[in-house]
Amino acid sequence: MDRKLAAILAADMVGYSRLMGADEAGTLARLKALRSDLIEPEIARNEGRIVKLTGDGMLAVFDSVTAAVEAASTIQQAISKAESATHSEQPITFRIGINVGEIILDGGDVYGDGVNIAARLEAAADPGGLCLSDDAYRQVRGKTQLEFSDRGQHQLKNIDQPVRLWHWSTISHPAPSDEQRQGHHCPIIAVLPFNNLSGDQDQEYFADGLAEDLISALTHWRSIRVIARNSSFTFKDHSISIPK
């Protein structure tokens, strides 16, 4: 097997099913334009390579972690500016996760724990923001003008060891107080998945979209901590007692 050390970038569009359900043709046209005009050129400019495209996301690899972070932050800022110009009530936003680790090259695809962790980091990122593993953050510390906030250790789904998360967002927030950094007097909120009571399974994305929108909105407040979607959605389709 061909192995190498690489920076892995995983990106995913927020609320893709909901946006497609509301305006399929318009959403697809805007997504294609963002990819061709902003995302793909910026990745290429930073000497990255897109490994695969999914309906609402992508996976890319870079030889340099700093290049991956610079590309990702530029992409997020460019998307925010482009979507604000459309004056859409439902702007397109992305979450991006970046990890550094060993990958296995197989044809044109990549595999390995480094890729899996990048995907989990993407799910933990704020809409419009970046989430870096501690390994990736150590490589870019002092090499970028971006200011990252320490979100502490998290147990990511299907990842054995806890990972320290570092966040940056296009949305500026006041710096958290020392008490907030230490977790004192800081409420924690989890938005559980909503139940689809319509009886029509085709409407499932509305219930998921509502929960995702609430999670996104609550992350704008730094006086509270919000459980990431990939954690709270593990309760989907499960009947859990209120105390638990």
Side-chain angles (χ1 to χ4, degrees):
M1 291 184 292
D2 188 8
R3 298 175 181 267
K4 66 174 290 187
L5 192 66
I8 308 109
L9 181 154
D12 191 63
M13 182 173 154
V14 179
Y16 174 76
S17 298
R18 172 176 49 82
L19 290 171
M20 288 291 284
D23 181 11
E24 189 175 73
T27 298
L28 188 57
R30 285 159 57 200
L31 177 58
K32 285 184 174 180
L34 290 174
R35 279 178 173 169
S36 62
D37 298 343
L38 301 177
I39 299 174
E40 294 176 8
E42 188 60 29
I43 290 175
R45 192 178 72 81
N46 284 275
E47 300 182 342
R49 177 175 70 88
I50 295 176
V51 175
K52 68 176 71 174
L53 292 172
T54 61
D56 58 344
M58 68 177 60
L59 184 70
V61 293
F62 297 76
D63 291 333
S64 162
V65 184
T66 303
V69 170
E70 292 294 339
S73 62
T74 300
I75 286 169
Q76 291 290 45
Q77 293 175 81
I79 289 175
S80 177
K81 183 177 180 180
E83 284 296 292
S84 65
T86 67
H87 303 291
S88 172
E89 294 182 358
Q90 296 182 319
I92 290 176
T93 55
F94 278 80
R95 295 184 180 94
I96 296 179
I98 297 176
N99 183 42
V100 58
E102 189 175 76
I103 60 174
I104 301 171
L105 304 174
D106 184 11
D109 213 341
V110 296
Y111 302 92
D113 284 343
V115 177
N116 298 336
I117 292 174
R120 298 306 180 193
L121 294 171
E122 171 272 308
D126 295 337
L130 314 180
C131 180
L132 272 60
S133 65
D134 201 38
D135 288 338
Y137 176 72
R138 284 198 298 267
Q139 298 297 319
V140 300
R141 184 171 50 196
K143 300 176 185 177
T144 175
Q145 298 298 316
L146 304 178
E147 294 186 3
F148 288 87
S149 61
D150 183 357
R151 296 284 181 88
Q153 297 270 8
H154 287 256
Q155 187 66 58
L156 303 178
K157 184 178 179 181
N158 296 332
I159 304 300
D160 291 338
Q161 299 297 322
V163 179
R164 182 174 292 278
L165 307 186
W166 295 85
H167 282 247
W168 170 87
S169 176
T170 52
I171 303 170
S172 60
H173 303 290
S177 66
D178 290 338
E179 284 189 343
Q180 289 171 350
R181 289 191 185 95
Q182 296 168 9
H184 299 311
H185 310 299
C186 186
I188 302 174
I189 293 178
V191 180
L192 297 180
F194 283 79
N195 292 325
N196 173 20
L197 303 181
S198 68
D200 182 359
Q201 288 301 311
D202 291 340
Q203 305 303 314
E204 189 75 17
Y205 65 89
F206 279 120
D208 291 346
L210 179 58
E212 288 184 356
D213 281 352
L214 284 172
I215 292 171
S216 300
L218 289 169
T219 57
H220 296 172
W221 297 84
R222 287 301 183 244
S223 57
I224 58 176
R225 293 172 57 197
V226 185
I227 300 299
R229 176 194 183 281
N230 63 318
S231 295
S232 59
F233 267 60
T234 59
F235 293 102
K236 186 174 176 64
D237 299 326
H238 292 282
S239 179
I240 305 298
S241 68
I242 294 299
K244 183 172 182 179

